[in-house]
Amino acid sequence: MGDSQYSFSLTTFSPSGKLVQIEYALAAVNAGATSLGIKATNGVVIATERKVPSILVDETTVHKISHLTPNIGIVYSGMGPDCRVLVRKARKQAQAYYRLYHDHIPVAQLVRELAAVMQEYTQSGGVRPFGVSLLLAGRDDNGPQLYQIDPSGSYFAWKASAIGKNMVNCKTFLEKRYSEDMELEDAIHTALLTLKEGFEGQIAADNIEVAIVGDDNKFRVLTSAEVSDYLEEVE
C-alpha cells in the first residue's frame, strides 16, 4: 500500500510512519523565497529575498522580516499569511511574559512557545500544518542565538542556516564560508554573498531584506541605503 491514500489525513500515520501532510507543508516551504541566518560572535544577521508578484505592487509595503520583541525578530519562507498568524501569537506570548516579569522573554523560551503552536497543528483534527519555516534571531543573557522552526514543530539552534527555494546551495555555500570567530560585519557580507549565489536576476537593495541584532541588543531591519552600501562592499 502506498502513502497516497493517507495524504489527505493529517492525524493518520501512513504505513511507512510518515505524516504526509507535514511533508507537503515542507514542500510549500521549499517553494518559497530563500531566507538565511548567520550567528556571529557579537550578533545575528538574517536576510531574505523580497520578490513582489508584479511591478504594480508597492514594494515598500511588502515585508518578510518581523519584530517580535525589541531584541528578537523572525523571517519566514513559505506562505506569508500563515506566518502572520504565528507572529501575532508570538507577540502575544512575549507581551504576556513581559507583563508578568517586567523583562523580555528569553529567546529559547519564545522558540519553544512557537514550536508548541506549530506542533499542535500537526495533531489536531480539522486543521492543517503551517506552510512556513521560520528563522528566529535574537540576543539575550545567553548571547546571540539563531533558531530554525519547521512545520512539524521541531526546532534547532543553528550557527548558520537557510530555508526556502535555494536552501541546498545556500547551506553548501555557508558550510564553506562560515567560521566560529566571524564578527557581525563579516556575517552580513557572507549573508549577502550567499543570497547572491542562486539569486534570479540582479540583486539590489529593493529586492532583499536584511536585519541584525548586535551589541546593543536591539533587533532592527537595515535601511535600503545601508543594504546598498553592504552590496557595494561585496561586489
Side-chain angles (χ1 to χ4, degrees):
M1 285 202 303
D3 289 350
S4 59
Q5 59 192 315
Y6 295 89
S7 65
F8 293 106
S9 170
L10 170 61
T11 52
T12 309
F13 281 97
S14 72
S16 58
K18 293 174 182 170
L19 289 170
V20 188
Q21 282 296 314
I22 292 175
E23 295 193 359
Y24 293 165
L26 281 167
V29 171
N30 292 337
T34 309
S35 304
L36 59 95
I38 302 172
K39 184 178 83 166
T41 54
N42 59 335
V44 187
V45 56
I46 52 178
T48 183
E49 292 179 12
R50 184 179 63 182
K51 298 270 178 72
V52 289
S54 162
I55 55 166
L56 300 176
V57 173
D58 178 2
E59 73 245 359
T60 58
T61 63
V62 179
H63 302 290
K64 287 192 63 191
I65 295 176
S66 307
H67 277 80
L68 299 183
T69 70
N71 60 316
I72 303 173
I74 61 169
V75 64
Y76 73 89
S77 281
M79 301 172 71
D82 284 16
C83 182
R84 280 206 305 272
V85 174
L86 290 167
V87 165
R88 194 167 66 242
K89 286 178 185 285
R91 284 173 177 165
K92 269 189 180 173
Q93 193 64 46
Q95 201 57 42
Y97 184 97
Y98 188 82
R99 204 175 60 198
L100 192 59
Y101 299 108
H102 296 282
D103 196 9
H104 296 307
I105 189 168
V107 177
Q109 187 169 336
L110 188 55
V111 169
R112 277 199 304 275
E113 300 287 354
L114 264 177
V117 170
M118 291 173 87
Q119 193 281 330
E120 206 177 298
Y121 278 70
T122 68
Q123 214 176 353
S124 314
V127 297
R128 65 163 175 78
F130 288 95
V132 286
S133 280
L134 306 172
L135 287 175
L136 184 144
R139 187 176 171 136
D140 56 21
D141 295 341
N142 294 320
Q145 292 157 72
L146 173 70
Y147 283 89
Q148 179 179 328
I149 315 169
D150 288 324
S152 62
S154 62
Y155 64 92
F156 296 97
W158 289 77
K159 295 171 184 172
S161 184
I163 52 178
K165 199 183 302 176
N166 203 29
M167 172 187 79
V168 178
N169 291 343
C170 286
K171 278 191 174 172
T172 307
F173 189 82
L174 285 168
E175 281 166 12
K176 290 175 187 162
R177 297 292 296 243
Y178 182 80
S179 67
E180 298 279 350
D181 55 358
M182 187 181 272
E183 295 208 342
L184 189 55
E185 288 292 303
D186 297 334
I188 295 169
H189 292 146
T190 305
L192 292 175
L193 286 168
T194 310
L195 263 190
K196 229 172 149 183
E197 266 299 276
F199 201 85
E200 293 167 18
Q202 183 66 34
I203 192 167
D206 59 359
N207 56 19
I208 61 168
E209 237 179 313
V210 183
I212 57 168
V213 55
D215 288 322
D216 58 356
N217 275 19
K218 294 273 187 287
F219 181 87
R220 69 183 188 91
V221 179
L222 299 185
T223 63
S224 288
E226 287 175 303
V227 175
S228 293
D229 290 346
Y230 280 118
L231 280 171
E232 281 172 24
E233 286 170 24
V234 298
E235 273 173 5

